[in-house]
């Protein structure tokens, strides 16, 4: 079974600074997706960034980028120029890729990291 | 941008009652999911649905749960006889393919 571990329950960052959130995972699959989701106080789940395991290039979305280390099974999220609106719970998630049939597309989530942004 | 919608935003029910949580996935999506999040805990997968049938379910999704796509737009989660421990945020999600899942805003279920 796949597991996702986020070892930092809480983090804080000064506004305009950079912060990195850690995530490790365990899988026997060679191909899969990894995601970071943001959950603000409204509790809606918002996709921040996605990484395909077969791509060596790290995904980036504006101020958000990942450091994907496949051999180490590590997938960290870097937020640059942090803004007050970045304050939220951040969840790392894993999904296997099933190439035949309907398969299983469920997301496996970590426990989350609560990010606070200090003005 | 199209969104997944869920109703109601908050549902309060008494233990033993049946509840139906409703979701309208993004219109051209083919894969549908329910997840739940007990307060302070991680999001957990409940069930996935494709081609009008359940494609996978977790051990949480026992006989008291059922899902349905009664028409071309709605996707519902029914809990037959609610328990206190069913109190959680329930998220619906949909995807066009096996990739990105779009989440709805959630329904907060409180069982008293």
């Amino acid at each position: 079974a796949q597991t996702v571990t986020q070892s930092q329950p809480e983090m804080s960052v000064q506004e305009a600074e950079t912060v990195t959130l850690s995530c490790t995972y365990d899988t026997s699959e060679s191909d899969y997706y990894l995601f970071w989701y943001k959950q603000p106080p409204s509790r809606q789940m918002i996709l921040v960034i996605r990484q395909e395991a077969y791509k060596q290039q790290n995904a980036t979305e504006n101020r958000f980028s990942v450091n994907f280390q496949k051999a180490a099974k590590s997938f960290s999220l870097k937020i640059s120029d942090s803004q007050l609106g970045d304050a939220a719970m951040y969840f790392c998630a894993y999904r296997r890729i099933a190439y035949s049939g309907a398969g299983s597309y469920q997301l496996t989530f970590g426990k989350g990291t609560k990010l606070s942004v200090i003005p | 941008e199209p969104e997944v919608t869920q109703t109601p935003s908050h549902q309060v029910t008494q233990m033993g009652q049946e509840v139906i949580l409703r979701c309208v996935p993004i219109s051209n999506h083919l894969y549908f999911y329910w997840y739940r999040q007990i307060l302070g805990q991680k999001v957990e997968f409940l069930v996935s649905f494709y081609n009008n049938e359940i494609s996978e379910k977790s051990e949480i999704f026992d006989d008291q749960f059922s899902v349905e796509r009664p028409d071309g737009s709605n996707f519902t989660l029914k809990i037959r006889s609610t328990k206190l421990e069913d109190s959680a945020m329930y998220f619906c999600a949909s995807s066009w393919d096996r990739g990105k899942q779009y989440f709805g805003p959630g329904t907060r279920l409180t069982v008293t």
Side-chain angles (χ1 to χ4, degrees):
Chain A
Q2 293 80 24
T3 58
V4 177
T5 302
Q6 293 178 251
S7 58
Q8 305 152 315
E10 294 189 32
M11 295 275 289
S12 61
V13 61
Q14 290 283 145
E15 197 175 2
E17 296 294 308
T18 295
V19 65
T20 299
L21 308 184
S22 302
C23 172
T24 58
Y25 58 94
D26 189 27
T27 182
S28 57
E29 305 280 339
S30 60
D31 208 2
Y32 44 86
Y33 290 115
L34 294 165
F35 305 85
W36 279 98
Y37 279 88
K38 171 184 176 181
Q39 187 181 45
S42 66
R43 296 192 72 185
Q44 179 150 12
M45 297 289 285
I46 302 165
L47 178 66
V48 174
I49 200 163
R50 178 177 82 166
Q51 174 81 41
E52 289 92 343
Y54 64 86
K55 290 186 178 177
Q56 292 191 344
Q57 187 173 9
N58 289 322
T60 62
E61 285 285 343
N62 301 313
R63 298 183 294 108
F64 299 88
S65 61
V66 298
N67 183 4
F68 173 49
Q69 302 287 328
K70 190 173 183 180
K73 295 181 182 172
S74 169
F75 182 60
S76 60
L77 175 70
K78 186 170 84 171
I79 307 174
S80 304
D81 185 25
S82 297
Q83 299 175 359
L84 295 177
D86 295 333
M89 283 291 287
Y90 286 81
F91 291 95
C92 178
Y94 166 100
R95 217 209 74 200
R96 62 187 286 262
I97 295 175
Y99 292 104
S100 60
S104 167
Y105 308 123
Q106 62 170 289
L107 292 167
T108 300
F109 287 88
K111 289 188 175 181
T113 296
K114 184 178 180 182
L115 178 67
S116 301
V117 181
I118 303 164
Chain B
E1 188 174 325
E3 292 181 338
V4 177
T5 59
Q6 290 185 244
T7 54
S9 57
H10 188 195
Q11 173 93 45
V12 181
T13 190
Q14 288 191 327
M15 197 166 53
Q17 295 296 303
E18 175 183 286
V19 294
I20 297 176
L21 309 183
R22 290 183 168 80
C23 169
V24 179
I26 294 173
S27 63
N28 61 347
H29 284 188
L30 302 175
Y31 300 85
F32 314 109
Y33 315 84
W34 283 101
Y35 293 83
R36 81 169 185 193
Q37 184 185 31
I38 294 170
L39 187 63
Q41 299 188 22
K42 65 179 178 180
V43 178
E44 300 172 292
F45 168 77
L46 290 177
V47 65
S48 59
F49 193 85
Y50 170 75
N51 200 25
N52 286 318
E53 60 183 18
I54 290 174
S55 51
E56 187 162 15
K57 57 184 180 180
S58 72
E59 58 196 24
I60 302 168
F61 194 88
D62 60 23
D63 291 345
Q64 70 161 341
F65 291 93
S66 62
V67 288
E68 203 175 37
R69 189 155 162 79
D71 51 42
S73 59
N74 290 283
F75 180 51
T76 62
L77 174 69
K78 183 193 291 186
I79 309 175
R80 270 181 259 287
S81 177
T82 50
K83 305 172 199 166
L84 293 176
E85 53 265 35
D86 292 329
S87 295
M89 196 79 165
Y90 287 81
F91 293 101
C92 173
S94 70
S95 63
W96 160 247
D97 57 10
R98 303 174 184 121
K100 193 189 304 187
Q101 292 180 20
Y102 294 81
F103 280 75
T107 292
R108 184 154 66 104
L109 176 64
T110 302
V111 182
T112 61

